[in-house]
Amino acid sequence: MKMRAAVLEEFGEPLEVQEVELAEPRAGEVLVRLHACGVCHTDLYTASGADPSGYAPTVLGHEGAGVVEAVGPDVGSLAPGDHVVTLFSPQCRECIHCRDERTNLCLAIREEQNKGHLPDGTTRISRAGEEIRSFMGCSTFAEYTVMPEIALAKVSPDAPFEHACLFACGLSTGLGAAINTAAVRPGSSCAVFGAGMVGLGAVAGCRLQGAERIICVDLSPQRLELARGQGATDLIEGGEGAVERILELTGGFGADYTFEATGNVAVMREAVEAARMGWGLCTVAGVAGRGETLDVVPRLLITGRRIAGSSFGGVKGRDQVPVLVDRYLAGEIDLDPFVSHRIGLDEVNRGFELMEAQDGIRSVIELV
C-alpha cells in the first residue's frame, strides 16, 4: 500500500514528507493505522546526527497510538479494531529478561531493532525499490506502520489518541521511574530535576506512590507551574544553589529519592548530591550526549547513596502500559496540560522547532 510519511534523508536536514510503500505484515506482525504521534526529543536527537547509532533514510517517530487494521500469521493477542500504543521497548514475555521482574529490557528483537529492521532482518517501508529503515522498530511519523505484535500494547478504546500516544515513551518513562525503578515509598521526600515530559511524569508518579514532599527543579517558571499541577509541593528554579535549597527543605539530609530527567550530566551530579545520605536513591532517566561521563565523588556513595538507571521507566510495555492508561482514565493523571500543540504531518519540522524553543511540553501530530 502507499502512504505518506516523514522521511529523514540526511542528518541535520529537515524531514521530507513524501509518499512511500508499506508492505503487508508478515508472521508475528501487525498493521496499525496511526491516529496520533508525539514529537519526542529522541526523534530530534537522531535527526540532528548526534546519535552515534542513527541511520538514514528512515521514517522517524516512536510515540504513536492507533488502531489495528490487519494482522499477519501467528498473531494471537491482537485483532483488527484494537486500540494500541506503540512500544520502542517490546515485551516478548518469553526471554530471560521478560521473565524476570527486575528489568523490562526485552532481548527478543533487540539486535535487529537496533539496525532499523523488523525481527526477520528486513523492513516493510520502501520507495522505488529502496529500503527505508524502521526507527526504533516503530516509524510512527506516518499514516500507517507495521510492527511486531510484541511491540504493541492493547489499551482501552476510551483513551483519546492524543493522550494515549504519550504513554509510548516520555510519560511512561517518568511514571515508571518513580513507580517501578525507585519504587517510591509513601510519606517519603522526592526531588525531580527537569520538568519536561519525563520529569512531569516522575512528579505524577511520586504523587501516585504517596510521597509527602515532592520538590521539582527547572529553569522555566512555566514548567514549574505545570509540575505543581502534577503534585509538586515545592518549586525551585534551577541553577546555582539548587542542591543547597533541597537540603534545606529536607532537614539537611537530602531527599529520599531524586530523579534526573534532563540528560545533562552536570544536573545528574546535582541529583546524586541532593539524595539523602544513608539510603538516598538517585534515578537517572535522562539520556546524556555522546561520550559524556558522570563525575561523582565516591564518598557520596560510600555514605549510602545509590544511583540507578531507568529505561522506559522499567515498564513492561504490553502488561503495564494498559494499566497506566487505565489510571489516567480513572482521573489519577491529568494529561491535558501536556499536549501543547496539535499539528499535521506536514508540520513535523515545526514540532522540532517548538521543542528546541522549549515551547510547551509535547507537540502531537494528528494523523486522522
Side-chain angles (χ1 to χ4, degrees), residues 38-81:
V39 181
C40 177
H41 187 271
T42 304
D43 302 305
L44 176 60
Y45 179 59
T46 297
S48 70
D51 183 357
S53 62
Y55 39 77
T58 184
V59 174
L60 293 180
H62 63 286
E63 206 171 78
V67 178
V68 173
E69 289 268 318
V71 300
D74 304 323
V75 172
S77 65
L78 294 171

Side-chain angles (χ1 to χ4, degrees), residues 3 20 27 35 45 55 115 175 203 215 219 248 263 281 353:
M3 68 170 184
V20 298
H35 285 241
Y45 179 59
Y55 39 77
K115 298 176 183 176
L175 288 167
V203 169
I215 305 162
L219 295 171
E248 290 174 5
L281 174 63
E353 293 168 359

Side-chain angles (χ1 to χ4, degrees), residues 13-31:
E13 296 296 324
L15 304 188
E16 297 182 19
V17 178
Q18 55 190 264
E19 187 175 84
V20 298
E21 294 279 348
L22 183 67
E24 294 182 354
R26 299 182 185 178
E29 297 174 358
V30 178
L31 171 66

Side-chain angles (χ1 to χ4, degrees), residues 276-310:
R276 193 194 194 285
M277 67 174 296
W279 59 71
L281 174 63
C282 171
T283 299
V284 176
V287 178
R290 175 171 48 185
E292 293 186 306
T293 59
L294 174 58
D295 183 16
V296 175
V297 177
R299 184 158 186 81
L300 292 174
L301 307 182
I302 293 171
T303 50
R305 298 166 186 83
R306 295 167 295 142
I307 305 172
S310 185

